[in-house]
Amino acid sequence: MTKSPVGFTLNGSQRAAFADPGQSLLDFLRRGVGDLSPKFGCGQGACGACTVTIDGATHLSCLVLAESVAGREVRTAAGLADGASLDPLQEAFMDHFAAQCGYCTPGMLVSARALLDRNPRPDRAEVIEAISGNLCRCTGYEPIIAAILAVAEGRARA
Ligand code: FES
Ligand code: FES
């Protein structure tokens, strides 16, 4: 099998690695690039644990071919914090106990960040719609929705 070089931007940094033919972006990010923040939940587009943004739009990285991100901008949950400074969504998830096992959390955070970037003041229905593709087996969703709304409504920690 011939590997292909893929150059792209990951969380603001230029990266390059070799992708196998047919390799998913999820597998490429985790095994090829070493970003373990996108999670393998189902591998077939059903759970949202692998959610990333590509050029600002959310995608399920298990369904995206690694080669297709050449020259594009990929963002993952690993890029949400700025050094020791967490994204307000990460603070709010902690404050609202919005994670238990935490397996869904990176995908939830990426979906929520993408929502707030395009719509800084979403209402509850818009928050629910934005995370509708992200399944959580633990929290029952209310703490997650509350955390996102806290940031949207300016009630989160500064
Ligand atoms: S691992 Fe991609 S949607 Fe479940
Ligand atoms: S916190 Fe466990 S799946 Fe969401």
Side-chain angles (χ1 to χ4, degrees):
M1 290 197 298
T2 306
K3 293 177 180 282
S4 302
V6 178
F8 67 112
T9 303
L10 178 62
N11 298 325
S13 298
Q14 289 293 320
R15 302 295 296 266
F18 287 97
D20 292 320
Q23 187 176 22
S24 72
L25 177 60
L26 174 61
D27 192 53
F28 176 69
L29 288 171
R30 290 181 59 84
R31 292 200 303 124
V33 182
D35 183 343
L36 300 179
S37 65
K39 303 302 183 201
F40 185 102
C42 65
Q44 52 189 358
C47 75
C50 64
T51 303
V52 302
T53 63
I54 302 172
D55 294 338
T58 54
H59 290 269
L60 300 171
S61 62
C62 69
L63 298 183
V64 174
L65 282 176
E67 293 168 330
S68 72
V69 301
R72 302 176 76 183
E73 180 184 7
V74 177
R75 289 194 170 274
T76 68
L80 288 173
D82 182 7
S85 177
L86 297 180
D87 187 288
L89 282 167
Q90 292 173 305
E91 304 271 14
F93 268 54
M94 288 195 292
D95 291 346
H96 289 80
F97 302 100
Q100 288 184 31
C101 82
Y103 206 76
C104 70
T105 306
M108 286 284 187
L109 287 168
V110 169
S111 292
R113 173 44 58 208
L115 168 66
L116 296 184
D117 286 349
R118 68 177 181 272
N119 176 11
R121 294 285 179 269
D123 60 22
R124 179 181 169 86
E126 290 169 323
V127 168
I128 292 171
E129 169 66 24
I131 62 169
S132 61
N134 296 86
L135 302 186
C136 177
R137 297 162 183 81
C138 302
T139 71
Y141 298 99
E142 282 302 329
I144 295 170
I145 295 166
I148 298 168
L149 283 173
V151 177
E153 295 168 1
R155 292 183 283 104
R157 288 193 247 171

